[in-house]
Amino acid sequence: MVLIFPFIGILLSVIDIFINKPFSAKVFPGIIFYAAGYTLIAAFCFVAFLGVLSLFVNLEKPNGKFSKFYNAVVSFTLKIALSACNAKVNVEGTEKIPEGRFVLIQNHKAMFDPIASIAFLGKYEIGFITKPENFRLPIINKFMHRICCIPIDRENARNAVKSINAAAENVKNNICSMAIYPEGTRNKAEGMLPFHAGSFKIATKSGAPIVVSTVEGTELVRKNAPFKRTVINLRICEVISSEEVLSSTTAGLSEKARKIMCDYLGISEE
């Protein structure tokens, strides 16, 4: 995916050289020189394009609609980023994802968890619950807003409840599906952190099924990039039906989802 910019650079350099200069033995070195320049120009233009798109987003305006266009741009951009980091994402089990809206839960090992999920599950129109700091990032915050990501302040219980309720409304009103990391933060140790049962209120309040997912390998990307290949395994494990969601407590759902994840990851539930 990341080779799109060198490809554009080489194509433009060949056109430039053969239009403006006669064929000679110096053409090949010229192509290399021109290609490098055009590659940088292509990459710069793409970043500028993202910046221009961000100008059309007002963070103060309530986001009542999931933008398919911005979602496509985000998915494409994140695939480029993963490719640049020499990361390959294997996705399994998407046939289990139900029709209609759902709540996606996943273990959380690194910043590349949502990057891989948004990039390769983008067609399912999923907004993510994320930490408030991410909404302070220029340009990125605008795109997050248009794909219905919601910041959650876990240090403030009242604000956290508002975020959970807003996410549930997105699912219930068919605006988009929502994803949350029930561990609450990135887990840098082995196994999984205890789950926050309150995360599952998005499902109980909206009556939507829960898609239980695991991701492996994302914690290695920063260490390996860009010279060593990192394989990320993104797996859809099981789906907890709407009927079971509505008849269960958040504590019960949390326990079941955690057991499913542990089984698929091959780790202890403790």
Side-chain angles (χ1 to χ4, degrees), residues 31-84:
I31 290 177
I32 296 177
F33 176 79
Y34 274 66
Y38 278 122
T39 297
L40 291 176
I41 292 173
F44 175 81
C45 288
F46 182 73
V47 173
F49 169 70
L50 297 179
V52 170
L53 286 181
S54 72
L55 298 177
F56 295 92
V57 180
N58 182 0
L59 291 174
E60 302 301 322
K61 183 179 179 181
N63 196 15
K65 184 177 180 181
F66 186 93
S67 172
K68 293 183 178 181
F69 172 72
Y70 279 83
N71 183 51
V73 172
V74 170
S75 296
F76 177 75
T77 303
L78 295 182
K79 285 178 180 178
I80 290 177
L82 287 165
S83 179

Side-chain angles (χ1 to χ4, degrees), residues 64-142:
K65 184 177 180 181
F66 186 93
S67 172
K68 293 183 178 181
F69 172 72
Y70 279 83
N71 183 51
V73 172
V74 170
S75 296
F76 177 75
T77 303
L78 295 182
K79 285 178 180 178
I80 290 177
L82 287 165
S83 179
C85 291
N86 199 10
K88 174 180 172 56
V89 181
N90 295 323
V91 184
E92 301 176 16
T94 54
E95 70 279 358
K96 300 176 184 178
I97 296 178
E99 294 184 5
R101 302 306 182 190
F102 55 85
V103 177
L104 177 75
I105 65 164
Q106 199 172 73
N107 60 309
H108 198 12
K109 296 294 291 183
M111 61 176 285
F112 285 92
D113 297 335
I115 290 176
S117 297
I118 294 173
F120 288 90
L121 298 178
K123 69 177 183 178
Y124 297 102
E125 300 181 358
I126 307 171
F128 275 69
I129 299 291
T130 184
K131 59 184 181 181
E133 290 81 358
N134 290 335
F135 270 85
R136 302 190 189 113
L137 300 173
I139 299 179
I140 293 175
N141 57 357
K142 301 288 189 71

